[in-house]
Amino acid sequence: MPLTIRSNRSTLTQFLIEERRRHPSASGDFNALVLDVALACKGIAKAVAYGELAGMTGNHASESGASVNVQGETQKKLDVLSNEVFMRRTEWAGNLAGMASEEMDSPYQIPAQFPRGKYLIVFDPLDGSSNIDVNVSVGSIFSILRAPQDVIDSGRDVVDADFFQPGAKQMAAGYALYGPTTMLVLTVGTGVNGFTLDPTLGEFMLTHPMMQIPADTQEFAINASNARFWEAPVKRYVDECLAGKTGARGKDFNMRWIASMVAEAHRILMRGGVFMYPRDTKDPSKPGRLRLLYEANPVGMIMEQAGGRASTGEMPMMNVQPTSLHQRIGFVFGSKNEVERIERYHREPVQVELTNPLFAERSLFRD
Ligand code: FBP
């Protein structure tokens, strides 16, 4: 067992205090909030690790059977537990004016017995929940915003519109990955740093300082079962990747799809790649699968802070003006040059002649 305590690795607390020295006027509230979020993630990591031993797999049951969240998705027991852990660990300290999450229809008001603060947190307590019961990596995603000044001054209850801030306004963003190791990946606007949870000490230790994403890649991630619903620019991009050396790209590409966005984001942060869950024609009422405020914006900020790029396919994700708490959006992120290529394909006129037989009329996918 490595004696991490003897190592010269920084703990998360140490890292945050050193960061705070850059802002002498800072009150420390921000650091305290990030540490409360980190504690919540440690608790969720334990619950995920116990799994069925603690009866933590399967669907969450309400009086009327399996409970469904505002997205119409069946809630897993760990979805509900993780949501509660985030609330309990962050509501009490006086750093928050309010919070919102994937598992709650409307914003959660800080209970009267606790002081209210100047920050908002919006989070996906457990991302990739379709993978929980099959023991594949899942994660938690969070975004920290500054509450509007009138909220801070009046202490009033928060409303949906208080969270409608473009990604560029985020004070911090991060995710925890519950995989072979538990990691916390965090940006406070000065680059991206990765911390590994030392299971003995129970401390997040700085193991991946100043993470950077390679600008180029030969690895893409997309759910190919949606191919018939893709728009032409995405079909063209994937078509060219699949054509490999024989096609316009002149190089072979590999494909990955874990169906846990946090795990895909982490792989891309570690070795490059491009992730696409684009807007498609599958369900016109849903302009995408992933949610803007607690999936696309925080992961987007991390990608941009690590030298990558985050986009809707047509515009920078960080410039999108939110209009609803649980709005969905097409999301493309990863290695800068590939994301820019996909954006260019969205600007260029649609090519009529599709070269790859895979997507041509008479293709393998025909029923
Ligand atoms: P939630 O699990 O938080 O609802 O997240 C959505 C998600 O699971 C992403 O993590 C993942 O990238 C995507 O959905 C998988 O979608 P699909 O089931 O279409 O492959």
Side-chain angles (χ1 to χ4, degrees), residues 69 71 73 79 102-103 124-132 138-139 141 222-226 257-264 275-277 282 289-291 294-295 328:
N69 66 18
Q71 339 267 332
E73 293 160 346
D79 284 325
E102 177 179 333
E103 303 305 333
D124 178 353
L126 207 68
D127 177 68
S129 36
S130 65
N131 278 327
I132 296 170
V138 292
I141 313 173
I222 194 166
N223 181 343
S225 69
N226 295 325
W257 189 249
I258 305 171
S260 278
M261 182 186 55
V262 171
E264 319 264 12
F275 171 97
M276 294 165 274
Y277 214 123
K282 190 173 187 175
R289 166 91 168 81
L290 300 170
R291 282 51 59 122
Y294 42 79
E295 290 176 322
R328 296 171 187 265

Side-chain angles (χ1 to χ4, degrees), residues 305-328:
Q305 283 282 320
R309 187 164 174 76
S311 173
T312 64
E314 285 159 323
M315 66 177 282
M317 189 57 73
M318 296 299 104
N319 299 350
V320 174
Q321 174 55 49
T323 54
S324 75
L325 212 50
H326 302 287
Q327 81 184 78
R328 296 171 187 265

